[in-house]
Every structure is written in structure tokens, then in C-alpha cells.
Amino acid sequence: MSQTSQTVIRREDYQVPRWLVDQVELQFDLDPQDTQVQARLHMRANPDFPTHVGSGAAGADDLTLNAQAMRLVDLRLDDEPLGADDYRFADDLLVLAPGRERFVLTAQVQIDPASNSTLNGLYQSNGNYFTQCEAEGFRRICPYPDRPDVMARFRVRIRADRAACPVLLSNGNLVDQGDCPDKPGWHYADWEDPFPKPCYLFALVAGRLVCAERTIRSGQAQGQATDKLLQVWVEPGNEDKTDHAMQSLVKAIEWDEARYGLPLDLDRFMIVAVSDFNMGAMENKGLNIFNTKYVFATPRIATDIDFGGVESVVGHEYFHNWTGNRVTCRDWFQLTLKEGLTVFRDQQFSADMRAAQASDDAEAASARSVKRIEDVRLLRVAQFPEDAGPMAHAIRPDSYSEINNFYTVTIYEKGAEVIRMLHTLVGEAGFRKGIDLYFARHDGQAVTCDDFLAAIADANGRDFGQFARWYSQAGTPVLGVQGHHDAANRRYELVLSQHCPPAPSQPASAPFHIPVAVGLLDGRGVALPLRLVGENRAPAGDTRVLELTAEQQRFVFEDIDEPPVPSLLRGFSAPVVLDYPYEDHELAFLARHDTDPFSRWEAMQRLAVGAVLAVMAGADAAHRSRPLAEALREAISDDTLDAAYRALLFTLPAEGYIAEQVAQIDPVALRAARHAVRLQVADALEQPLRDLLGRLRDSGPYRPDTVSAGRRALRNLALAALVEAGQPDAWALADVQVRDADNMTDRSAALAALVNSAAPQREAALAFFAEEFAREPLVLDKWFSLQASMHRQAGEPPVLDRVRTLCARPEFSLRNPNRARSVIFAFCNGNLAEFHAADGSGYAFWLEQIRAIDPINPQRAARLARAMDRWRKFDPDRQQRMQAALREVAQTEGLSRDVGEIIAKALAH
């Protein structure tokens, strides 16, 4: 399948809708194979539709509705039946000529939820009914103009057998419920959403569910405080796993009102957990549907990372209530309008929640820096490679073939970085003014990224015309920095430059507007003043934001008596690659003395990357690892540093990040070099690591607070290093921890250490873990994933052999996205050396799985397809094998549009 065979949708072709929908009345009669849906659409001509479009040509005033995977039973216009000659229904479109300015279109259709393995539209999971309508799932429910700029008020009646579906939920407020007089044993529930919304925010849930409830008051900031009902719905037996999700929801509601003045605007807010879900969660207005992974959290089944993930995702989906729901996207090209902004907001929320647990300002600053580092690690490991590959796109793309393929780390994480830069440029107060103006102008509308940027600019009297290039230009800019000290004049000059390698099929980039946060340190680690030439005084603080807007700019600082060590891109103030020729001794100095926590961590990362790359090039591992080991010795033993922060300092950069630092990837050599550096560090730091094992042991019950989580993280890293180094007593300690720990954090960390070691206890520990948690699907996902991503020891068979065995187990199912992710995706995306085995066996496995998953769930298959889109980064033999596998997929009969777009772009790159 060539790229030209795909239907390409272009942003420049956008037109306002010809027809608008004011009111939607839906009735569902739920049945596994024969659900009947009646949709009454109150429609009118759009007065803003340009009269010149179509110029009166035949069909210019046709009503075109999306209608997919359904059987049309009846169609009426203003209650008058339409015959087969009055409409066309083919190619997933229903087309008719209404011949009037206002009308009610009534369509009755039959759909089959039980057979809907795509998990888009209305589907069944474990006998219950769920919907997923973003981006284009509503067209699988009823005929509709399925685009986000068509906003309507929804009233929904759900009817079902009371025994099969005692719970009937939809968006908004419950306005009526009762028995169905025409169907004995059936009941109904009527829901009304008072706010107009696009159809992608519609939701329906029905089945055997139970809920935890809590009532809070919201609206205090507006002087209109009212009681709100919060509910978390789960399948029976999981009620005890929802308390953390409920607490997180309460915190999110309170935070959004306090930080942004945005209250909960419905009488109730509901979260529903389902195990069969393509995404993490979905922000449907008032009825958020979540993957169980981001709801269930108890010490027995969830790690500290899981607890944090639940809080973050609950916050994210709730924050969409305003940034995404009350103000939504005009079209799908504007996806980052809601996602980038809301990711930034959930990052702020998580940082604030961590800082709130701190005992003093220093601890709070450390907690915030830990969150910032975690976010940057994700960006670098996932988004930077995307920017350099065939799927590179601006955060506001210009074209797509399948919108599901653009739910990417670029849209989300890089989009959040763009919002963060705006926040940096205008400050906290200025950003709040901009947000307030954004809602004052656009509440209840479907708008564009330009509208958001204009609100921030207008509220602060700024011109962000050049900054807007971040929305339209793909690629990761390289920030070049040179420093020159002028001893005679006591000045220090920083020369900043920028260039951005052009993305595929895009012209060279024009200069970006880049905020560059810098500091200067003297030889003792003391922060120097940051007064530029021509200024009367230095600004307060030890960090200054320089605004780079040209290809090259010079900034000269006064009163600098000695050559300083520059601390550059503090807080990762822009999503760029920093090019500065740091020497190892300078990095070691910054790792010890930098006053900016992010830059201190970054210096340690650069030391580690340098060591791994040098070993790959033939350097002696013991010699080359010594500067890193010495810097780490001081850091991990410094009890004035937060334990969670020390854990990040001690964590080597991921293989995927290191791979991006070389022109051609040798995955086996990379893994061997990184492993050698880890072993040398563990050997050099054996005693400090053993000290940590003793000093950081918690004697009380498990607590998921930030301080306790940090202590566990650092202690478990120390244990893993000793286990990997082959210390028999560490093997035994890890085995005991797997069996006896009172929390999943310690248990899974110990198991992971054993799995990636030569410990003789490994297989027995795996067997124990599987038996102990056989009835906990989310924990079994961890068990599967640990093995699929494991690093094999010398003399062991390929990990792919184990992966195939895992796929044959009765607990494995391709139809469940979580389980497929835990095995197939963990292997193909998370096990670089094993997936890229020289014999091509990993590529053959990938091909099998693409062909197996695509007919079931194209969206999942497309995600898996991206495991091969960086094929040109590898050696010629691997390139040839990967290209052959890509071409085989392209030739697959009936290949989905989702996968076809990914494969075509990969082959064309």
C-alpha cells in the first residue's frame, strides 16, 4: 500500500460544517448482538457556511452523515419516512438532500456490540457495555456529522434488561428512571447534558457495576458552592481498589478551582473502570471511562509509580472538563489544543501534590524537580525519536490519513512543553490572565491553537507570531552554545545558536522563539550575578531566561571575574537538544554543585552517556566509568538530597535514549556497553549501596507518600545493582522480598532485579509471583512484561522463545489491549537487543502479530507498527530485514487504514 493510496485530509481544506445539530435525542435498547439505536437530530443550516462553496452545484446542500458498522432500519425527515430513492448509504456515509433550512432527522439503526473488537463505538467487555467515541467512534453508534466543531446538547434514554444491566449511565445529570411498560423486566434511565458538546465526548456505560460515592462542595471561588456527587464505578469485587482514585479526583477538583478558578459544573462526576480499553482514559463530559490500570490502586497490587499514575491520569481527565470539553477543538488538527494544554496542567497538578507533602521549601523544590525530570525522560525517550523519524509532525499537523495515528507523544508531551514555554515567557500570573481570557472568549466553542495563543499574547501584551512556529514546524531544534570569558573586561559571553533538521517532506525550519534558562557558577559552585551589559542591576535569583529568536545571538554578562561553568537549559526550559562541549570534569562539577536540580541530574546523565558510548567505541569500562562512579558515590550518600532525587541521579539513561546519540544503532553492543558501565558502578559503589539497603528499610506499614516512595525507589535501585553484579546475598534478599514484602513496589522491583540477573532463584520467584497474583490481571500484566523485556544472560535462549511461550498461556489474549501491551509491545518496543536480533526473528514475530491484531483492533496494530519506523537507524543487514517485513505488511490483503499509513510513511522515509 503506497502513501498515495491513502485518503489524505489536509488542514488547509477545512470548511465550516454545512449543517449544525442543536439537539440530539438518543434511545438505546441494549442487546449484545442486536442493539437498537434511535437518533433524533434537530438540525439547521449553518449561517456561517460560505454561499460560494459549491456555487449552487448539484449536491452542494446535501447532508452527509458518517455511519459505519451499522444496519439502517428506518430513516425519517420531519417524521416522514424516506424511501431507498431518497438517500444513499454506502462507503460508511449516509447522504440525503433535506431541501429545507430546519428539520428533524430520525434514524433507527442496529449495531452489534458483542462483535466490536475494535473497542471504538459501543462494545461489550465482560458482559457490560461501554463506549469510546474519540476520535471517530460515534459514527459506529448512529448516523451523525462526526466532527468536533458540530456541538449539540444531548438527551439520552438507555433501556435494558434490569437483571443484565442494573446500572445505566450516560453524560450529564440523571433526570428520570423507571420500568419500561412495553418490555417486562426492562428498565430505563434518562440523562441530560446541559452543555453542548461534540459527539466524541458522548459516553454510555451499562451493566453489572457497583460504585464508591462521595459528596463534595464545589464553586466556592465563584460564591456559588453546591454539593456534587462523585462516583467511581467498577465491576463487583473491585470496590476496595478505588479509594486512591476517589482521593485523586477530589484533589483534582479542589486544585483546578484553587489554581485556575474552574469549578465542577455538573451535579455529579463519574469515573468507570474497564479492562478492555485502547487508551489510558477518556474525558467524556461528566462520565470518564478509564482503563482499570489508572483506577485500581492498593498496596498489594499497585506500585508507587502506579499510585502516581492514577493520580496523574485522574487529574488529566478531570482537567479536560474545561480544557477540552467546555472549550474543544475545531478540528482534529488542533488536537494539541486540548491535549498539550491538559498534559501541562496535569504535570503542574502532580508537582503540586508532591510538593504539598514536603516538610520544607527545599524538599518541596526537590519534589517538583523529580516530577520535571520524569517528564523530560519520557519526552527524550519517546518524542525526540518521533521527531527524527518518518512520523515526525508538528504539534499541529497539516495532514493525516488516520487521526488515531496522531495521538502521539508529539501532540501530548511536546505540546505540553510548548505550553510550558509560554508559561515561562509570561510567568505564572501572566499565564493565569491568558487562561482567564481564553475562557472568557471561547467558553462553549470549538476553537483553534491560534485562538489559544492569541489569548495568552493579548492578556500579556506580547507578540507571539514567531513563537507560533512551534505549532507548525516539526523536528527537535539543536541549541548550540559557546562561552567566552573576557578577563580584562570581567565579562562572559554566551553565543546561542539554533538549527532544526528538516522533518520528512517539510521545508527547512525558520528560527524558533526559544526561552533558554541559564545560570553561571564560579569555581566553588557559587552562583554568579546575571547582569547583562547595559543593565543597571542583576535580576534576582540565580537563573535567567534568555530569549533566543534569531539563528544566532550573543548575550554578555558583566562582573564575571573568572571563567564560569555555565549551567544551561535549566529546568529544561525548551524541548531542544543542547550542544555544548562539556568536559567530564565540568560535568562532574555540575553534578556536585549545580543549584538547579534538573541541570545537576542532566550533568550526571551526560557523564553516563559518555561512558557508555566510549565503551561501545572500545574504551576500558573500568577506567571510563570512574568519573561517573565517583560523582554517584557522593550523590547517593548525601542525605541532604531527597531520596527520590538521588534515585533519579543513580538511574542510567535508557537504551532508547542512548541509541539516539549514535548515527547507527548496534543494539547488542549498546546493551553490552551499558551493562558493563552498570557493573563497574555497582562494583565501585558496593559498600555505599549496601549502606543504603540498611538505612532505607521502612519498618512501618506501606505508605504511598512521596518521601516513602523515594526511599523505596533508592533502596530498590541499590538492591538491583547488587543483584545484577552477581552478589549471592543480594539474590537471596531479593527472593525474600518477592515473597514477603507488604507492597507491590518492593515485590515487583525485587522480581525485576532477579529476572535480569543470573540468580538461581529467578524461575522459582516468577512461578511464586504468578501463583500469588493469578486473580489480579493488572499484576499479571507486570509479570508478563518483566519477562518480555528481560535481558537474557550468557548461554540462555533468545527472549523471543519465552515470549512465544507467554503468548500460548491461557491468561494471554490478543483482544485485551493491556495484555497485548504487556507481552507483544513490551518485547517489540521495550527490548531493543532481543527484538533486533541479528537473525531477524524479532521482525518475523512483529509481522505475525501485526497481521493477527489488525483485523481485531486496527488502532492497536498501528501502535505496534511503529516499532519498525526507525529502521534506517540500524546497520545494513538489519535494515534489509526490517524493510522486507514492512513491505510484507504493506502487501497484506485488507490492511487497515491505520496500519497502512504507518507502513507507507516508514517505507517512504
Side-chain angles (χ1 to χ4, degrees), residues 121 123 130-135 138 141 170-172 193 197-205 265-266 268-272 274 277 279 281-290 316-318 320-321 324-326 338:
Y123 66 94
F130 301 91
T131 57
Q132 172 57 34
C133 294
E134 188 177 358
F138 193 76
I141 293 175
S170 191
N171 310 84
D193 189 346
K197 63 173 179 281
C199 65
Y200 83 84
L201 292 172
F202 169 77
L204 178 152
V205 172
D265 56 359
L266 291 168
R268 70 172 69 197
F269 192 93
M270 299 170 283
I271 287 174
V272 182
V274 56
F277 203 66
M279 303 180 180
M282 177 59 205
E283 72 268 20
N284 317 295
K285 182 71 179 180
L287 180 58
N288 289 184
I289 301 179
F290 273 61
H316 180 96
E317 304 307 332
Y318 174 74
H320 267 314
N321 188 54
N325 295 4
R326 288 284 288 258
K338 72 184 185 77

Side-chain angles (χ1 to χ4, degrees), residues 735-758:
D735 186 52
V736 170
Q737 188 166 306
V738 169
R739 299 170 189 275
D740 295 345
D742 69 346
N743 65 86
M744 181 51 61
T745 301
D746 287 338
R747 273 184 154 160
S748 62
L751 184 61
L754 291 174
V755 165
N756 290 301
S757 76

Side-chain angles (χ1 to χ4, degrees), residues 487-519:
N489 294 302
R490 301 175 59 236
R491 290 178 174 177
Y492 181 72
E493 180 184 66
L494 280 178
V495 180
L496 307 185
S497 62
Q498 60 170 302
H499 78 273
C500 186
S505 70
Q506 291 201 14
S509 296
F512 290 89
H513 184 174
I514 304 176
V516 183
V518 303

